Amino acid sequence: MNLINKKVTHEQFGVGSIVKYNDSFIEIHFTSENKKFVFPDVFEKHLELHDQSAAHSLEEMIQKKEMERKKEEWKREEEKKVQRHEQQLRLEHEKLMKNHKLHPKSQMVFWCDSEEQNRAFSDWKVFSAVIKSGTNKGKPNKPIRMHQNSACLLTARDSSVPEKDRRILGVYMVNEDFIGKLCEDGYIPAHSKFRLQLTEEESDQMLFWNYYVNEKLPHKMAWNTGKYRYFDNVWMAQILLDMVSLKRDSEERETAQRFFDHFCKMNQIKEQDLPKPDGALMRIG
């Protein structure tokens, strides 16, 4: 669309002709002087184009620009909504972090099948499984007790051996900013540093039931249903301390020691006050 030399009428300056324009401004020569206006906004109220064909094309262009403006406005508003939502989540997250009170049983132990074992140690995360009944059936379980102080213990039992021979495969602290109450997808990611995977030989020496006990049935070793269960913070500290002793390589032992120290700090546990393991296996006389 070429508007150069096209005649226009301005409500205040009268008749003139267009001498120059671009995407932002238009310059019009009137009888006494040239005037610059915002383009194409000036045509909406103050300026009339004489050429009807050009006026029609200009109207289409104005409508197109208006649609683009509204689209940009909508986009900015949506971005603001996202920002407000993210800010709300951050504030909620900060509040939960600040007001968190230690639960004495905020550790989690998982029963991993062979496929889950491979995935857990490659992706360094586990899935808390789905709810099997009720109004939330099919939705992921929320690990509501888990927080910055929590660790995930990975265990396995071959179908050919009894439950008492369940082995510990490894352990990790949860991700630095993980809050179970806010976990929507059921995945529990690992901390960037505090992760330990045992060798098969080491795992054979770390039996889960040396540490874990059902207080109501202290001599019974049974895992009837479910992929996971919560357990005592002190028991996890005992497990981590034994892992430190288990490591022969000095670098691996140092890594395990740092893990243990961090866990104790997060759970307000003093090593000197830590009792000896007293799980169900230890109570068989």
Side-chain angles (χ1 to χ4, degrees), residues 2 10 34 45 51 69 102 126 158 161 169 171 178 185 202 222 230 248 279 282 285:
N2 184 12
H10 189 277
N34 285 10
K45 292 183 179 179
D51 186 316
R69 186 189 64 78
L102 284 176
V126 288
D158 193 283
V161 300
L169 307 175
V171 61
F178 183 80
D185 61 4
E202 290 169 340
Y230 292 106
R248 295 289 172 260
M282 298 292 195

Side-chain angles (χ1 to χ4, degrees), residues 108 110 116 119-120 123-130 140-143 146 152 172 174-175 178-180 182-190:
M108 191 176 275
F110 277 82
E116 287 168 328
R119 191 166 59 245
D123 299 344
W124 283 102
K125 63 181 179 181
V126 288
F127 181 60
S128 62
V130 297
N141 271 303
K142 277 190 177 184
M146 304 203 80
C152 286
Y172 66 79
V174 300
N175 193 26
F178 183 80
I179 293 178
L182 303 181
C183 179
E184 297 293 342
D185 61 4
Y187 282 98
I188 307 170

Side-chain angles (χ1 to χ4, degrees), residues 43-256:
F43 284 96
E44 293 183 29
K45 292 183 179 179
H46 310 291
L47 202 62
E48 182 183 349
L49 192 61
H50 293 190
D51 186 316
Q52 291 303 305
S53 176
H56 179 70
S57 298
L58 183 63
E59 179 63 25
E60 288 183 341
M61 188 189 78
I62 291 172
Q63 288 177 359
K64 185 179 178 183
K65 286 196 75 169
E66 179 63 14
M67 286 177 66
E68 289 173 354
R69 186 189 64 78
K70 286 182 178 179
K71 188 176 179 181
E72 282 298 316
E73 220 173 65
W74 176 83
K75 187 179 177 182
R76 283 195 298 270
E77 188 56 38
E78 289 301 305
E79 287 172 353
K80 285 180 183 177
K81 285 180 184 177
V82 171
Q83 288 170 0
R84 285 195 294 267
H85 180 65
E86 288 176 349
Q87 185 180 17
Q88 185 179 352
L89 289 177
R90 279 197 299 272
L91 291 172
E92 187 177 352
H93 187 277
E94 288 170 6
K95 185 178 178 181
L96 285 169
M97 285 287 195
K98 185 178 179 180
N99 299 330
H100 177 64
K101 293 181 180 178
L102 284 176
H103 190 289
K105 294 186 177 182
S106 55
Q107 312 307 314
M108 191 176 275
V109 55
F110 277 82
W111 180 348
C112 302
D113 59 31
S114 55
E115 184 182 340
E116 287 168 328
Q117 290 174 40
N118 295 330
R119 191 166 59 245
F121 290 117
S122 61
D123 299 344
W124 283 102
K125 63 181 179 181
V126 288
F127 181 60
S128 62
V130 297
I131 299 168
K132 294 186 176 180
S133 61
T135 55
N136 292 320
K137 182 179 179 181
K139 292 182 180 179
N141 271 303
K142 277 190 177 184
I144 57 174
R145 285 192 202 171
M146 304 203 80
H147 211 271
Q148 280 184 312
N149 66 298
S150 302
C152 286
L153 190 70
L154 308 175
T155 71
R157 177 181 68 82
D158 193 283
S159 58
S160 62
V161 300
E163 176 57 38
K164 70 180 182 66
D165 293 329
R166 176 178 295 280
R167 299 179 302 125
I168 294 172
L169 307 175
V171 61
Y172 66 79
M173 293 294 293
V174 300
N175 193 26
E176 295 90 322
D177 60 355
F178 183 80
I179 293 178
K181 289 179 181 178
L182 303 181
C183 179
E184 297 293 342
D185 61 4
Y187 282 98
I188 307 170
H191 192 282
S192 57
K193 293 180 182 178
F194 301 114
R195 312 169 174 186
L196 289 174
Q197 181 178 3
L198 301 183
T199 64
E200 191 167 342
E201 182 183 350
E202 290 169 340
S203 185
D204 287 338
Q205 300 177 63
M206 294 289 295
L207 297 180
F208 174 66
W209 290 96
N210 280 335
Y211 309 92
Y212 187 91
V213 64
N214 183 335
E215 300 292 357
K216 293 180 180 179
L217 300 165
H219 298 288
K220 186 175 181 181
M221 288 168 273
W223 189 313
N224 299 321
T225 59
K227 294 298 296 181
Y228 71 86
R229 56 189 59 184
Y230 292 106
F231 72 104
D232 201 289
N233 303 347
V234 169
W235 298 345
M236 184 65 87
Q238 293 168 342
I239 290 169
L240 289 170
L241 185 60
D242 282 352
M243 285 184 176
V244 174
S245 303
L246 199 62
K247 293 295 182 181
R248 295 289 172 260
D249 179 83
S250 58
E251 191 174 329
E252 288 184 2
R253 180 188 282 258
E254 188 177 333
T255 298

